[in-house]
Amino acid sequence: MTGKRYAGENYAPRTRRHARAVVRSFYEYHRDMHGRPLLNPFPKAKRADDEHLNAHHNPMHAYRHPRRAPYQPKEPRRIPRGIPDQAFNELFAAPPSHRDRALVAFYISAGPRASELLGVSRDRVSPGDQTIGVIRKGSRALQWVPASSDAFVWLRLYQQQIRPQPLDGPGEPLWWTLRRPIRPLSYDAARMVFTRANKTLGANWTLHDLRHSAAKRMVRDPELSLTDVQWVLGHLHISTTEQYLEPAEDEVVANVLAHHARQAAEPVKPVMPAPGYRSEVLQTLLGPAALGGGPA
C-alpha cells in the first residue's frame, strides 16, 4: 500500500481543467454531428467565470470552490503521503554524498518545500540558533525555521567536502553541484538525485513526501500544538495543517494489526460467577477451565 497513488493526482488543477474541456468538446462535436449522446457528461459550469476560476490566485487569499457541473465526478481528496520510519532510514542511507544527506535531514526536520530549501543562501544559516531562513513560496516573506542538530552536522560535513570553493560569500547559494563546473543546485538536479536513490531502493518517493513526513511527525508529538506545526510549515490556513491528522491507509492497517496482536497476547481472564449461581453448575455448563480450575 505504501507508495501507491491514484491516477491523475500528479497533475496540476489547471491541467485537469484543460483535460475536462477537451473531453467536453469531444462530446459536443459528436452531439452536433451525430445527435449522440443526448446529454454531455461534461457540461460547462453554470457561471462563465468558473471556467477560469483561481487562474490568477492570490496566495494570501483562500481558494474559491465553484459548484460542480452536473455529471461531473467529484475529485477524490488526497491524503498526504508520509514515508514510514524504516523506509526513511533506507532512503537516508541511499545517497552517496554528505550534501544529499544534509538536504534530506533538513527536509525531514524543518519541513520546507523543495524550492524553499534550495533557495537558502549562506547568510541565512544560523547553527548557533539551530535555524535556517527560507523565503516562503506564497508570501515571499523570510522565515527562520528550526531544524535538527543532525542536519547542521551533515551540512558542516558537506561544506568541508566541497572546499576549496571560490564562491564563498555570505550571499552565495548554500547548495552547489558536486561535479565541475560548480553551479548552484537546481530543483531538477536535486530531483534526479532523489530519482537515483528511488531506483536503488525500488521506491517512488518524492521530495515533497519528505515535507509530508515532517508534518506527520510533528503533529504526532503531543508537546507540539497544531498552530506550532502550522507556523513551521508556513500554512496560511490551519485547515491545511489539519489534513496531517488523518492517518494513511497503511498506518491504520498497521495499528489495527498491532491491536490484534496485543489482544492475543493478553492472558484469558477467568469467568466470575454472578451472585446466586453455584460453581458446580457453571463447571457442568462451561467446564472447569472457565472458572480457573484444573482439568476435570
Side-chain angles (χ1 to χ4, degrees), residues 33-269:
M33 298 298 296
H34 308 289
R36 293 291 189 274
L38 297 179
L39 292 176
N40 190 334
F42 293 87
K44 289 186 176 181
K46 294 183 178 180
R47 297 188 302 176
D49 58 343
D50 287 345
E51 290 295 317
H52 303 284
L53 192 65
N54 298 319
H56 303 282
H57 173 65
N58 186 340
M60 299 303 295
H61 298 160
Y63 279 95
R64 293 174 53 198
H65 299 283
R67 298 178 62 181
R68 288 186 294 119
Y71 312 109
Q72 180 178 334
K74 184 178 180 180
E75 295 181 3
R77 184 173 62 88
R78 174 188 173 187
I79 299 177
R81 186 180 69 157
I83 306 177
D85 292 340
Q86 181 59 35
F88 172 77
N89 293 336
E90 297 174 354
L91 183 64
F92 186 79
S97 67
H98 297 323
R99 180 204 62 187
D100 301 335
R101 294 190 183 95
L103 281 169
V104 174
F106 276 109
Y107 279 131
I108 199 66
S109 62
R113 298 174 180 87
S115 58
E116 292 175 346
L117 181 59
L118 294 175
V120 174
S121 58
R122 291 178 54 85
D123 58 345
R124 297 203 298 266
V125 178
S126 179
D129 298 331
Q130 207 170 308
T131 57
I132 57 173
V134 298
I135 301 297
R136 286 305 181 186
K137 179 181 178 182
S139 62
R140 308 305 300 171
L142 174 63
Q143 181 176 347
W144 291 85
V145 294
S148 66
S149 57
D150 291 341
F152 288 95
V153 171
W154 287 109
L155 175 62
R156 185 59 178 170
L157 292 173
Y158 152 65
Q159 290 175 330
Q160 292 295 326
Q161 184 184 32
I162 64 173
R163 289 185 181 277
Q165 179 178 312
L167 302 175
D168 215 13
E172 296 293 340
L174 180 63
W175 310 103
W176 297 85
T177 59
L178 300 179
R179 296 180 180 178
R180 296 187 181 276
I182 294 178
R183 57 191 182 276
L185 185 66
S186 64
Y187 173 81
D188 290 334
R191 183 176 55 84
M192 288 304 299
V193 171
F194 218 65
T195 300
R196 288 193 292 268
N198 279 325
K199 187 176 181 180
T200 302
L201 300 174
N204 66 337
W205 305 113
T206 65
L207 289 174
H208 207 63
D209 290 336
L210 290 172
R211 174 174 165 86
H212 293 327
S213 303
K216 284 179 172 289
R217 289 185 177 188
M218 285 187 281
V219 298
R220 291 184 188 135
D221 190 347
E223 301 297 327
L224 283 178
S225 66
L226 198 60
T227 53
D228 293 337
V229 182
Q230 176 193 8
W231 183 88
V232 171
L233 297 178
H235 289 157
L236 180 61
H237 303 285
I238 198 169
S239 58
T240 308
T241 314
E242 288 175 345
Q243 65 181 334
Y244 294 102
L245 296 173
E246 185 173 352
E249 180 181 351
D250 55 343
E251 297 173 340
V252 175
V253 171
N255 292 336
V256 174
L257 290 178
H259 162 74
H260 291 322
R262 291 192 298 268
Q263 292 290 322
E266 291 183 358
V268 179
K269 298 180 180 179

